[in-house]
Amino acid sequence: MDRIRIIGGQPLNGVIPISGAKNAALPLTIASLLSSETLTLKNVPNLADVNLLTRILRNHGVDLSVDGKRAGSNGYLGETFHLTARDIVDTTAPYDMVSRMRASFWVLGPLLGRCGEAKVSLPGGCAIGTRPVDLHLMGLEALGADIRIDNGYVLAKAPGGLKGARVIFPKVSVGATHNVLMAAVLAKGETVLENAAREPEIGDLATCLNKMGARIEGIGTSTLHIQGVTNLEGATHTVLPDRIETGTFAMAVAATGGEVLLKDTSIDLLESAINILIEAGVEITPEEGGIRVRQMNGGPSPVSVETQPFPGFPTDLQAQLMALMTRAEGTSTIRETIFENRFMHVQELARLGADIQLNGELATIRGRTQLKGAEVMATDLRASVSLVIAGLVAEGETTISRVYHLDRGFERLEEKLRNCGASIERLAG
Ligand code: EPZ
């Protein structure tokens, strides 16, 4: 298994291009199931999760062709996917695929909407929390689906087609909003989704669906009104920039010091995280086509943060902020309110010398600590990248194992950091 070796202590200076958002590319790719015509997606990041999803979709009958060179001269332009689901040949999503990537469970809504039936494996366990799917099923049942759980599979049927309904989510869920939204666009009549997630990736999916002929209003708000249509057409859509990658690199610069232009991204996608960085004393300047991040005056100031659904501080940046706060002079607190087990990086950061106390959902970080290089293990995607940030500031050598977690969601991570002066390399093995 590959490992990453970092020699810490170098500031970051230069330009980092931000890729298309993984968490938008996944539902957008799934949306191809809704039409027999071609959906063209631009700026798709080349990531293990996206590649796995395309394998799952091929199984359902989606034909994929890819263009856009990624290596060398073509810079970081994302790939262009042409996805055509002329016929759905199989409405089953098997366990061995869904269990490897939870977002593939979101094929349930579109398959049901288009074919009137679907058999999708329950996703199973997850490292960061229990992550049930009750809200997905509740929403689809409200649209008239008959749902049974059998042998670990969700068996869903709507022989006469789905019917529009009012769905009030008792809790904000990104996945349930994606799933039920994709089902509702082909339901008869009007669906209203209340307390829907407002993450920019939901807006990106809804915008693309509208380009395909769906009729969705209220994009960007927590109430989505959907007038069902009988079929969707082909369309072309560009995946929005990855706000989590943006925030991650901003925090890396804030930790190491230096000045980096994060290119092809926008401050509007992550205001809460940017505000926290500003509160911590990091200089952030929006520029045309990017964000300049500068940290010249020693370490950041401590902050107190609670993770929340958008527009609050994202749980997907919690681990990275924790690594950064080991650099702050004083005590910081981070409360994780979205996932109950998303602190697995704490023990690994402690191996590097961090002083972090855990009490239920609250982490208290005492700084400033001079981290020291060690061998650490990646546990999930965002936890892994927090170890990279810690490694960049630690004295000496840090090696991170199980880096396949990083490959799920960060495109060309080492290259982007190396281009800004970091000493980071991948060790094959
Ligand atoms: C999405 O996961 C993201 N994944 C996650 O990013 C992100 O951390 C999460 O939203 C929160 O922002 C993708 O977009 C592919 P949820 P999702 O449904 O949709 C509970 C990453 O690293 N819940 O919004 O699975 C759930 O347990 C990943 O890129 C129910 O109780 O998250 C959690 O506590 C990790 N019942 C909360 O809601 C349900 O039916 C929010 O989960 C569904 C969710």
Side-chain angles (χ1 to χ4, degrees):
M1 263 189 278
D2 288 2
R3 288 175 303 146
I4 282 184
R5 177 165 64 197
I6 303 171
I7 311 290
Q10 302 297 324
L12 293 171
N13 284 292
V15 177
I16 299 182
I18 299 300
S19 300
K22 167 183 83 88
N23 288 349
L26 296 175
L28 286 165
T29 306
I30 291 175
S32 65
L33 289 170
L34 286 163
S35 172
S36 60
E37 295 179 19
T38 301
L39 173 63
T40 297
L41 296 176
K42 297 183 175 173
N43 198 32
V44 179
N46 189 357
L47 297 170
D49 270 10
V50 176
N51 294 334
L52 177 59
L53 179 64
T54 59
R55 294 225 298 278
I56 295 172
L57 292 178
R58 278 201 181 99
N59 218 39
H60 295 303
V62 177
D63 180 63
L64 167 69
S65 69
V66 182
D67 48 53
K69 278 207 199 82
R70 302 201 61 82
S73 60
N74 219 9
Y76 291 93
L77 293 176
E79 287 175 329
T80 297
F81 278 13
H82 304 281
L83 299 137
T84 315
R86 200 161 308 289
D87 297 299
I88 301 292
V89 297
D90 190 344
T91 53
T92 299
Y95 175 66
D96 62 335
M97 291 191 170
V98 182
S99 59
R100 288 164 67 192
M101 192 194 34
R102 303 185 67 82
S104 53
F105 185 73
W106 306 347
V107 300
L108 180 61
L111 285 176
L112 194 54
R114 179 159 168 197
C115 306
E117 61 165 45
K119 178 179 174 187
V120 178
S121 170
L122 287 164
C126 173
I128 62 176
T130 47
R131 303 182 81 180
V133 291
D134 54 319
L135 301 175
H136 301 236
L137 303 185
M138 180 277 282
L140 296 173
E141 275 176 334
L143 298 185
D146 171 37
I147 292 183
R148 274 194 306 127
I149 310 282
D150 198 18
N151 294 329
Y153 279 79
V154 174
L155 308 178
K157 283 201 165 54
L162 295 170
K163 292 193 181 61
R166 185 157 170 247
V167 179
I168 307 173
F169 291 111
K171 182 174 185 175
V172 177
S173 161
V174 172
T177 305
H178 280 310
N179 216 341
V180 182
L181 175 63
M182 285 192 272
V185 290
L186 291 180
K188 283 190 198 90
E190 186 184 45
T191 297
V192 182
L193 303 184
E194 290 187 30
N195 201 25
R198 281 184 282 166
E199 270 65 6
E201 294 77 21
I202 305 271
D204 210 33
L205 172 68
T207 302
C208 175
L209 291 171
N210 277 352
K211 288 181 190 168
M212 296 168 79
R215 292 173 58 201
I216 304 164
E217 283 178 14
I219 297 176
T221 75
S222 55
T223 305
L224 296 171
H225 289 261
I226 305 128
Q227 304 295 335
V229 295
T230 48
N231 67 299
L232 294 188
E233 296 149 17
T236 298
H237 184 78
T238 302
V239 179
L240 91 175
D242 196 315
R243 65 193 163 98
I244 304 303
E245 192 195 20
T246 306
T248 299
F249 285 126
M251 288 177 195
V253 178
T256 60
E259 180 174 338
V260 169
L261 174 66
L262 304 175
K263 215 160 72 60
D264 306 326
T265 186
S266 159
I267 220 157
D268 303 338
L269 296 169
L270 70 162
E271 261 181 49
S272 60
I274 292 290
N275 288 341
I276 290 295
L277 288 177
I278 291 172
E279 189 186 324
V282 185
E283 281 178 59
I284 307 268
T285 321
E287 288 191 6
E288 205 173 313
I291 306 171
R292 188 166 294 278
V293 183
R294 196 161 174 270
Q295 176 73 306
M296 293 300 180
N297 310 318
S301 311
V303 292
S304 286
V305 171
E306 183 172 302
T307 61
Q308 287 293 337
F310 192 86
F313 186 89
T315 172
D316 289 349
L317 284 173
Q318 177 258 105
Q320 299 89 315
L321 182 68
M322 198 177 294
L324 171 60
M325 282 303 122
T326 64
R327 308 283 291 159
E329 201 70 64
T331 302
S332 310
T333 61
I334 302 182
R335 191 178 289 280
E336 170 59 58
T337 73
I338 309 287
F339 292 113
E340 67 276 19
N341 193 27
R342 210 174 196 182
F343 277 140
M344 298 216 305
H345 43 284
V346 169
Q347 291 315 318
E348 299 302 307
L349 289 171
R351 288 183 52 71
L352 298 170
D355 177 357
I356 305 170
Q357 232 88 77
L358 270 188
N359 187 2
E361 58 182 35
L362 184 72
T364 305
I365 306 111
R366 291 198 176 77
R368 163 183 181 135
T369 321
Q370 177 51 60
L371 302 180
K372 294 214 167 61
E375 288 176 44
V376 289
M377 195 186 282
T379 50
D380 76 74
L381 170 58
R382 312 303 176 184
S384 328
V385 85
S386 79
L387 299 178
V388 171
I389 295 178
L392 291 172
V393 295
E395 219 173 76
E397 180 177 311
T398 297
T399 50
I400 306 173
S401 55
R402 302 199 178 168
V403 298
Y404 53 84
H405 289 293
L406 279 175
D407 297 333
R408 297 185 65 169
F410 287 94
E411 190 180 36
R412 299 174 172 214
L413 180 81
E414 305 99 275
E415 190 184 324
K416 290 184 184 186
L417 287 170
R418 219 172 19 242
N419 287 347
C420 289
S423 172
I424 177 169
E425 63 177 339
R426 185 173 289 240
L427 309 172

